[in-house]
Amino acid sequence: MNRLNLSLLLSVWIVFPAWSQAPAIPDDWVAVKAAGKTFEFKAPPDLKNVPVRGKDSLVGKYESPSMLLTCDYGWYSDPLPNEKQPGYSSKMVKINGKKAKIVTFDGVAAVHFPKVKDKIRLTVYVILKKKEAKATALQLFRTIRFK
């Protein structure tokens, strides 16, 4: 391997270490079709659907002992401007070929897709009931796939 390729590989690893080294999705996770089947994600089997109705978007709500997940698919999805929250961190990534902003702060992990198609956006917001749920939420975000 020449020096240029090695340098490029090393710089990608340094810039995106957590995202590129994420653990494999557990075999027991199940596929969840969300927001009127407009997208899906994989989740632990204990994450259960909670009926909810939206006004101007397709919405979903799911709960487990460790997290409460909500999703909002539509024009007015929250772009996550939470910079003043304690422990705030954000990064831009690509998930399923689309730009996404992953945000974490105390007790929350979330992802926002500013353009799913046309003016449609998606925000998935997870309230962490347990600290270890943060890693689960970040893994879940990686599995989002659009229809």
Side-chain angles (χ1 to χ4, degrees), residues 88-100:
Y88 178 88
S89 171
S90 76
K91 66 179 163 183
M92 296 301 294
V93 298
K94 277 206 171 197
I95 300 173
N96 192 215
K98 304 210 180 281
K99 289 182 185 178

Side-chain angles (χ1 to χ4, degrees), residues 34-72:
K37 300 181 182 177
T38 56
F39 74 98
E40 68 179 32
F41 57 89
K42 291 196 174 187
D46 66 345
L47 190 68
K48 303 297 182 193
N49 184 40
V50 176
V52 64
R53 242 170 117 174
K55 290 185 179 195
D56 57 13
S57 300
L58 296 171
V59 297
K61 184 175 182 180
Y62 305 85
E63 190 165 14
S64 75
S66 62
M67 70 172 64
L68 174 65
L69 180 150
T70 60
C71 56
D72 182 355

